[in-house]
Amino acid sequence: MARQKGIIKLKGTIGDITFYKTQDGHLAREKGGIEASRIASDPAFQRTRENGSEFGRAGKAGKLLRTALRPLLLNSADGRMVSRLTQQMVKVIQMDAVSERGLRNVIDGEIELVLGFEFNIRGKLGTSLFAPFTTDIDRVAGTLDVSIPAFIPANMIAAPSGTTHFKVISGGAEIDFTGESYVVATSETAILPWDATATAVINLSNAVTANSTHPLVLALGVEFYQQINGQMYPLKNGAFNPLSIVAVDGGV
């Protein structure tokens, strides 16, 4: 892979060179590679097939998690979130100490490894929200809760320039990675002023299925707004809204 330089940027294929555009700029690479039929059947590529199988499984798991939390992700994700989450799911699967290589999966892996995952690297929760908070996952009751004591927003929230208001959001998801299904609940505060006036205590509760045996994931985030002529507008289309996984219960 090479980076294109010069005034004119190419797209398409010339001879054995393919020119294309990515988030990293205009690139070029040589055509080639091994035929898919050989990779699918040649014993020399057994490890490649195993790795491919597990990578595909990680991709599906990541997509299921993203879909479950989609109501929160609409305004809180960066352009490379999908690939970053897939990479994290690969690590989850690689922790499966039960299944054979190529058959390792999320359920027998360590789903707890997604704890702390930031869906938006342009605005991370840990560098945006400094107010202390506690989390609680009650599997019997099927609730995933976040509690934040009263705090002064101007002191405890590092907001992007132009912010006048904010909202705290959360979501709890029960995910069946085997059956490829989920149950999700979300909750949020009202839109609050970003000023020196203390908030009330914030309690956000998300109810899923009681006594579930599936993994439970709790996400917490902040959305920033700018008030103009009495109307609230998402600040910079949500480019700096943080959202992070703050609690995980892997199931029973």
Side-chain angles (χ1 to χ4, degrees), residues 64-136:
L64 187 61
L65 178 57
R66 298 195 316 270
T67 303
L69 296 176
R70 180 174 171 76
L72 306 180
L73 287 173
L74 290 174
N75 298 313
S76 305
D78 65 75
R80 294 183 174 177
M81 179 271 291
V82 173
S83 60
R84 291 192 299 107
L85 183 57
T86 298
Q87 291 173 2
Q88 195 64 24
M89 284 297 185
V90 168
K91 295 178 181 179
V92 170
I93 287 174
Q94 289 175 340
M95 293 301 292
D96 178 354
V98 178
S99 308
E100 295 180 4
R101 182 168 177 169
L103 299 176
R104 292 178 295 186
N105 59 82
V106 172
I107 296 302
D108 294 317
E110 295 289 342
I111 189 59
E112 288 82 2
L113 288 178
V114 301
L115 179 65
F117 182 82
E118 298 279 0
F119 290 95
N120 187 3
I121 58 175
R122 295 171 299 186
K124 298 180 180 180
L125 186 66
T127 56
S128 300
L129 178 64
F130 294 96
F133 62 85
T134 57
T135 63
D136 179 65

Side-chain angles (χ1 to χ4, degrees), residues 24-65:
D24 297 317
H26 293 266
L27 306 177
R29 65 185 176 191
E30 186 177 4
K31 293 173 59 180
I34 302 169
E35 294 183 357
S37 59
R38 182 183 174 191
I39 294 177
S41 58
D42 192 329
F45 291 94
Q46 176 64 26
R47 288 290 178 263
T48 301
R49 291 193 293 273
E50 293 171 352
N51 292 337
S53 176
E54 292 184 353
F55 186 82
R57 201 169 294 120
K60 285 185 176 180
K63 181 179 180 180
L64 187 61
L65 178 57

